[in-house]
């Protein structure tokens, strides 16, 4: 973590906003995981134990995926950056799909994190409900930050690939609202 922050704070071209967006997702998964861990094994929440355990398993899988996406984003950015340095149009066009797919994957992973987080409201340890709200904020930041990377890359394609833009816009439309609803529900639970 310290190395990541130092690299992010430096003049190095990567990691940048994409990797930071993936880190926001990692933080969201960690908070949701903590809430699960603070709920499991508590008699008061025994009736929800199977659902919480399944959510815990899924959120930990998303955490690993989000960590991997941090590295993937750095590699994708360096590849596109090299192509731009060479001023090679064909190399740029070849590098753009991966440079666009990785932040889209960050958006999709954060969206799944929001779905899991939402499913836990009202069935987990009430003393940790605020952490679900913080998780929602992390996932929202991941989605919005990753969208900027998708969007900037879309501007460089010779022909905009609608499969990226349509899916990304759908996630924005659905999940930014969902993140706000989760936050508001959490606030009402407190």
């Amino acid at each position: 973590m310290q190395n990541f922050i130092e690299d992010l704070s430096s003049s190095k071209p990567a990691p940048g906003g994409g990797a930071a967006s993936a880190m926001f997702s990692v933080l969201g998964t960690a908070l949701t995981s903590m809430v699960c861990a603070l709920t499991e094994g508590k008699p008061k929440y025994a009736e929800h134990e199977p659902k919480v355990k399944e959510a815990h398993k899924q959120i930990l899988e998303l955490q690993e995926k989000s960590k991997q996406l941090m590295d993937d984003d750095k590699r994708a950015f360096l590849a596109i950056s090299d192509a731009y340095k060479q001023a090679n149009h064909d190399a740029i066009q070849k590098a753009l799909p991966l440079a666009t797919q990785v932040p889209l994957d960050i958006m999709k992973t954060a969206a799944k994190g929001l779905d899991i987080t939402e499913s836990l409201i009202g069935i987990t340890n009430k003393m940790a409900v605020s952490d679900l709200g913080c998780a929602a904020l992390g996932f929202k930041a991941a989605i919005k930050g990753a969208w900027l990377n998708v969007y900037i890359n879309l501007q460089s394609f010779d022909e905009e690939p609608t499969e990226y833009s349509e899916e990304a816009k759908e996630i924005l439309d659905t999940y930014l609202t969902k993140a706000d609803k989760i936050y508001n529900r959490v606030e009402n639970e407190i």
Side-chain angles (χ1 to χ4, degrees), residues 5-114:
I5 291 169
E6 287 174 9
D7 287 347
L8 193 62
S9 301
S10 75
S11 61
K12 294 178 181 178
S21 297
M23 176 56 87
F24 292 138
S25 186
V26 170
L27 294 172
T29 62
L31 285 162
T32 300
S33 174
M34 179 183 70
V35 173
C36 291
L38 290 169
T39 303
E40 291 171 9
K42 302 274 194 281
K44 185 175 180 179
Y45 305 101
E47 69 179 288
H48 303 295
E49 182 93 7
K51 187 173 182 179
V52 173
K53 282 191 173 198
E54 180 58 28
H56 200 178
K57 177 179 171 266
Q58 291 174 6
I59 207 75
L60 289 173
E61 289 169 1
L62 282 182
Q63 187 174 95
E64 291 308 308
K65 174 74 172 164
S66 295
K67 288 178 189 176
Q68 182 60 52
L69 286 166
M70 289 174 67
D71 293 333
D72 292 350
D73 182 79
K74 183 177 177 180
R75 279 192 294 278
F77 176 81
L78 291 174
I80 192 111
S81 180
D82 286 345
Y84 275 110
K85 283 179 191 168
Q86 297 165 24
N88 182 326
H89 180 77
D90 291 339
I92 293 168
Q93 293 303 305
K94 186 175 179 183
L96 277 168
L98 181 61
T100 308
Q101 185 63 54
V102 171
L104 180 57
D105 287 344
I106 294 168
M107 293 178 75
K108 292 193 284 192
T109 301
K112 288 178 187 172
L114 280 169

